[in-house]
Every structure is written in C-alpha cells, then in structure tokens.
Amino acid sequence: MRHARRRVVRRVTRLAAVGGLLLGATMVTRAVASEPGTPDAVPFSTASPAGKAAAGPGAALVQRLGTSRTAGSWIGSDGRTVVAVTDEDAAAEVRAAGAEPKMVRHSMDDFDSATRTLSSAPRVPGTAWLKDYRTNQVVVRGDTTVTADDWSALTDVTDGIGDFVRMERVRGAFTTRLNGALPILSTAGRCSAGFNVTDGEKDFILTAGHCGPQGSVWFADNGGRQAVGTTVGRSFPGDDYSLIAYAGGTAGADPGVVAVGGGKGVRITGVGDPTVGQRIFRSGSTSGLRDGEVTALDVTVNYPEGTVGGLIESDVCAEPGDSGGPMFSEGVALGVTSGGSGDCRAGGTTYFQPLTTALTDLDVRLIVAPQEGGGAADPSPAPSQGVAAPDSASPGSSAPVRDILPDPSTLLSRLTDPRNVGPGLLVMGGSLVALVASRWIRAEQDRKAYRRQYSAMWG
C-alpha cells in the first residue's frame, strides 16, 4: 500500500513538472512573439545653439544698434517686427531694415541698471521682475505669499530706481511645476520629459533642473518597472535645467518628436530663441498641449527654492507635473517649462528655461526629427524665414508618438524584461528543478528498496 502511494506521488510530481515546462515554454513563445521586432533605424541630425533659428530681424537690429540706443524688440499683432529706439537715427536704420521703430525714453542700459539694483536687494520669495519692451518699463511682480512688509520694502527699492518701474500684485503663487510631454516619475515627484539631446555618444532627456537632484532615478510608470534613466547633470537654482541619461544609452524610436497628447506628436526640426509677441506652444504630462504668447525675456523669478534668472515669460498656462515639458513653435525648440502661477482653468503665467542656454552649458546638441519624406532634417529653419505672425503660427508638422523608452530590439533585452518572458522562464526553471528533484528522489527510493530486497534474499 505504501509503495502504491509513493508511485502515485511520483507520477503526480512528474506530471506537474512536465506541465510546468510546457506552460513556461508557451509563455516564453507568446511573449517573444508579441514583442515588436527591431525598429528600422530612424535617421536624425542634431542642432546646436550655433546653428539656431533666427528670432526675427529685431534681434539682429538690437544687437547692431546697441543697448544705449534700443530697448528690445517684439512682434506686432500684424506680424511686423517692432524695435524700441531712443533716437531718430536709430529709427531710420530700423525703417531701412523693413521693421517698425517705436520711440521710447529708456534704453536697455536703463533696464539692465534697474534689474541689477533689484538683484542686489534682499531676496523676497514670490517676486519676479522683467523688462516690458512694449511699455518701456521694468515690471516688478509679487504673488499672494509676499507680505505687506516685504512688498513695502521692495517698493522703497524701486522708488529709488525711477518712474519707469511698475509694481504689480498677481493672483496665486510663483511655484515650480513639479508633479513633455510624457510623464517621468521619481521619488522627487512627477515631471515631464522635455527634448532628447545627445553628446555624440549617448542620448539624454533635457528637462527642468528643479525636478530632482543629481542621481535621481526616473521611471515611466508608477510601479517602477519601466526605467528611464538617471539625472547626471543639473543647474538649479540660478538656471533650471537637468540632464537625464537614458538607462540604455539611446533614446526611443522617435527621438526628434515631442508628444502633444492622443498619441500624436510634433516633429522638432531646430532650436532657437523666442521673440516677445511670438505665439508659442508647450506640452506637458498634466495639461497637454497649450498655446500662448511670449510676454517677456530675461525674467528673474524668486521661487521658494531659490532665484532663477534669464527665463522666458509667457501667458500660456501650466500645472503641476508639466515641469520640464517642451516649449516650441513651428517645429523649433525654444525652452523647457520651469514654473509660474495660476492654472489652466483660470489662466496664468508660465516661465521657461531657454533651451539654447542649457544646450551650451551642458555641451549637448538637440536631436531633431527626419523630414516627412524620410531624409535628415535641416538643423534649423533658414534665418530669412524669421518668425511667423502670431495668428498664423503652428506647433509644427505632426507625427505619431510611440513611447519615451527605447523599444526592446534584441532577444536578450526581451528575455531580461520581467514584463515579457521573465515569468515564463521562472516557471520553466522551477519546473525543471522539480523534475530533476523527483527523478533523484525516485532513484534513491529505488536503491533503498533494492538493498532491502537483496538483504532479505541473502539473509
């Protein structure tokens, strides 16, 4: 009876082990078969600040005429470039260049002197200042967190600068947008991927610096299974950019495309600096694609975490989680989302880290998309194209978006991915061990039984 029970147990064990092997093999086969094949190589070129798109003729005119004779430039509602000038000779040069001059009292030198004075004053979190080219004023803003005493002290400072400084109170609070277009997550919070960049050997994500400290590990899912990469370079405060090295060394299948929601994306074909009055677009993992207008350049913002200078201001909205998301127009990359006030229900103000500054400081180049026909894209639009009129500007040419992560392209990567064939291999391995163990146990039992029978036969 006892021997019969043993035979039944051995038979069941063998059947379970063989069944496990078959099940594991099926799981592996289905997982490998369901994985996408190796994607075709996606040709791309790179763009650096040296080959950036021109920000319209106004920037060149301002540079040529000098800071003592000009006070910035912007795009008018009719699409014409307007340049603020302080004398008639400068106005004549602007007209000769095909732009529209506007006579003003204060020059860029006056603006720079005012902002230096503000920067040297005691720091007040929740404040910001900017050069408003269109009104020929320096604007100082304070959010709802600034106390009456701090606002009064700052007013005393601006009174000493001159009557071209305007004080404004704003709703909400100036905050970094921690918590693109696609979401990336770490223990520090949630941000949005900005643009893909390269140093010629490895690919990286360029995003906001406040998103996480050096060494932060990023994932594309809440479960921490889809590893994106690790922060290897960062500047915040002062600037607001960081560099995330891809875990596999290379970006995904569409490195020159930014997501705008609904599985759609925009081809990025160059890099440049924006112009005041330019229509821009930004994408983020919280609020998706939004558009607005550049309202100021070289803005200083005193976040609670620290002061960031040289930012781009826009009336486009943003919300927590949009941090680091891309800002662009006509396919030209312009910046990554830093912070601001308000939201996309009531509206607000958003600040961006200029992309050209980050690329230069990090010594990397923007990865740009291939042309729609398949050829490599030009590094940037021709300077003669200038900036599109606000009403006619678009994000850029559309393209599908697949994933932020590089697609698995080798059998090894598929076999080591626990979401694919890992479970099947584990089942197979466990079943094989069980089968070997059952065979060994049976052999030992047979040997013992043989010895007992042998001893009984020979006394």
Side-chain angles (χ1 to χ4, degrees):
M1 188 70 172
R2 185 172 55 188
H3 294 304
R5 283 199 303 268
R6 286 177 180 172
R7 284 195 297 272
V8 170
V9 170
R10 288 198 299 268
R11 190 172 293 112
V12 170
T13 302
R14 286 198 302 272
L15 288 174
V18 172
L21 284 171
L22 293 174
L23 175 62
T26 302
M27 292 171 67
V28 170
T29 302
R30 292 184 63 182
V32 172
S34 64
E35 280 294 305
T38 303
D40 295 334
V42 178
F44 64 84
S45 57
T46 55
S48 65
K52 66 185 179 184
L61 283 169
V62 167
Q63 185 175 12
R64 187 170 79 239
L65 293 170
T67 55
S68 65
R69 304 175 66 197
T70 62
S73 65
W74 62 94
I75 302 172
S77 58
D78 59 356
R80 291 191 63 190
T81 296
V82 182
V83 180
V85 296
T86 58
D87 62 72
E88 286 295 341
D89 290 340
E93 289 192 50
V94 169
R95 291 190 192 94
E100 180 183 342
K102 179 180 179 180
M103 294 294 296
V104 295
R105 288 177 54 198
H106 302 284
S107 68
M108 189 64 73
D109 287 343
D110 296 330
F111 286 174
D112 291 340
S113 176
T115 55
R116 281 195 298 269
T117 300
L118 289 165
S119 297
S120 63
R123 179 178 175 274
V124 180
T127 59
W129 47 83
L130 57 97
K131 305 162 186 176
D132 189 342
Y133 301 155
R134 287 180 278 201
T135 64
N136 196 229
Q137 292 177 314
V138 171
V139 181
V140 179
R141 292 182 178 146
D143 66 19
T144 54
T145 68
V146 179
T147 66
D149 289 343
D150 284 340
W151 190 245
S152 178
L154 196 55
T155 301
D156 290 341
V157 173
T158 61
D159 287 344
I161 296 174
D163 61 359
F164 65 97
V165 180
R166 184 173 83 245
M167 303 285 285
E168 289 183 351
R169 280 285 204 170
V170 297
R171 295 180 303 168
F174 295 137
T175 60
T176 51
R177 292 314 200 183
L178 183 60
N179 244 25
L182 293 170
I184 49 176
L185 305 98
S186 76
T187 55
R190 178 167 67 88
C191 277
S192 298
F195 297 99
N196 282 315
V197 298
T198 183
D199 64 2
E201 296 181 357
K202 298 179 182 178
D203 296 344
F204 308 84
I205 296 172
L206 198 156
T207 189
H210 69 262
C211 285
Q214 192 95 345
S216 297
V217 179
W218 295 91
F219 301 90
D221 66 315
N222 289 318
R225 292 182 177 180
Q226 293 177 277
V228 175
T230 304
T231 300
V232 295
R234 177 184 187 242
S235 181
F236 179 82
D239 299 293
D240 195 2
Y241 57 76
S242 64
L243 206 60
I244 299 173
Y246 273 109
T250 58
D254 299 306
V257 174
V258 296
V260 295
K264 299 178 181 179
V266 170
R267 288 184 175 87
I268 298 301
T269 58
V271 59
D273 290 319
T275 298
V276 173
Q278 179 179 358
R279 187 186 183 200
I280 54 90
F281 302 82
R282 67 135 200 90
S283 185
S285 60
T286 300
S287 56
L289 181 67
R290 305 282 175 162
D291 70 294
E293 183 179 298
V294 175
T295 51
L297 304 174
D298 195 20
V299 180
T300 297
V301 181
N302 293 297
Y303 293 125
E305 302 93 333
T307 301
V308 179
L311 297 175
I312 303 162
E313 182 187 83
S314 172
D315 61 7
V316 67
C317 69
E319 297 184 354
D322 289 331
S323 279
M327 168 193 177
F328 48 93
S329 184
E330 300 292 330
V332 175
L334 302 170
V336 292
T337 305
S338 173
S341 63
D343 54 40
C344 290
R345 293 176 297 278
T349 299
T350 302
Y351 301 103
F352 300 88
Q353 164 69 49
L355 193 61
T356 53
T357 301
L359 293 175
T360 300
D361 292 351
L362 294 167
D363 194 24
V364 292
R365 292 164 293 161
L366 178 72
I367 296 177
V368 296
Q371 294 176 343
E372 293 187 57
D378 295 330
S380 62
S384 61
Q385 289 179 327
V387 176
D391 291 340
S392 63
S394 68
S397 61
S398 62
V401 170
R402 279 186 276 182
D403 202 348
I404 187 175
L405 295 175
D407 291 331
S409 58
T410 65
L411 178 60
L412 177 62
S413 66
R414 293 197 292 274
L415 293 179
T416 56
D417 189 340
R419 295 166 297 153
N420 297 329
V421 300
L425 291 177
L426 288 175
V427 172
M428 289 179 64
S431 301
L432 187 61
V433 169
L435 183 61
V436 171
S438 67
R439 298 285 294 183
W440 181 84
I441 291 171
R442 179 185 177 184
E444 283 298 304
Q445 290 174 339
D446 288 345
R447 276 194 294 270
K448 289 179 180 178
Y450 178 77
R451 289 193 189 102
R452 286 194 299 270
Q453 184 179 5
Y454 182 84
S455 300
M457 288 176 61
W458 293 95

